[in-house]
Amino acid sequence: MNHKIYLKTNTDINATSEVLSWLEQINQPPFNNQTIWWELQTLLVEGFINIVEHAHKKLPRETPIELEVMRLKEDIEIRIWSWGEPFELEKQLQITSALEDNDQERGRGLQIMSSIADKLSYKLTDDNRYCLFISKHYC
């Protein structure tokens, strides 16, 4: 069973609820493990918020963010495309405090995604956008 959904939205933190509602489509049939479903929601929201607040920080609200989620036989793949500045994900993960040592209100999103996801990357695409790729095994 492969199921793919796609959404294009503006750079707007208020679109977070729309993004979460959109994700509901991928939960059919519902995941057997509720924890997996919560983790997928967390991964998507953290990724989206990071794009809005960091990658698109200096860009107009009308700048599009494209999201794609694929439910494969045993994995979920999330792709979020942005027009932001270059960003070295691995380097940032190394210099950001571990979750248990980070009591700041901000700055934990990447560590949260890294701890939940099975694969996490942020790479330049052929059309000069960046793609945040997140993969989570659910079976």
Side-chain angles (χ1 to χ4, degrees):
M1 168 191 78
N2 290 353
H3 182 206
K4 178 168 43 172
I5 58 174
Y6 172 84
L7 177 69
K8 186 174 187 177
T9 187
N10 286 335
T11 297
D12 183 357
I13 200 72
N14 295 317
T16 304
S17 59
E18 173 192 0
V19 169
L20 267 177
S21 293
W22 164 79
L23 183 65
E24 289 289 335
Q25 299 171 64
I26 213 74
N27 194 23
Q28 300 303 321
F31 290 96
N32 294 332
N33 183 338
Q34 188 65 36
T35 301
I36 291 290
W37 179 234
W38 292 329
E39 290 175 344
L40 291 172
Q41 293 174 80
T42 300
L43 287 166
L44 182 67
V45 167
E46 288 295 336
F48 179 74
I49 290 172
N50 266 287
I51 297 298
V52 170
E53 292 185 345
H54 299 289
H56 284 195
K57 184 178 185 175
K58 298 176 184 175
L59 299 175
R61 182 181 176 278
E62 295 75 30
T63 306
I65 297 174
E66 296 180 54
L67 303 101
E68 177 186 274
V69 178
M70 288 181 59
R71 183 173 178 171
L72 306 169
K73 187 176 179 181
E74 296 181 348
D75 299 289
I76 292 285
E77 294 182 352
I78 299 170
R79 289 174 178 81
I80 307 174
W81 289 276
S82 71
W83 294 97
E85 296 292 317
F87 173 75
E88 293 182 40
L89 177 65
E90 293 301 322
K91 182 178 179 185
Q92 192 62 40
L93 283 169
Q94 290 173 1
I95 63 172
T96 304
S97 299
L99 284 174
E100 57 273 2
D101 298 330
N102 188 341
D103 59 0
Q104 299 172 7
E105 211 173 289
R106 313 295 294 149
R108 294 183 298 234
L110 291 178
Q111 289 293 344
I112 290 169
M113 286 190 292
S114 178
S115 68
I116 296 173
D118 293 313
K119 294 179 188 167
L120 182 65
S121 67
Y122 189 70
K123 306 240 185 224
L124 184 63
T125 61
D126 291 340
D127 60 0
N128 288 321
R129 295 185 296 170
Y130 281 87
C131 180
L132 176 63
F133 175 78
I134 306 163
S135 180
K136 177 73 178 164
H137 191 75
Y138 70 87
C139 285

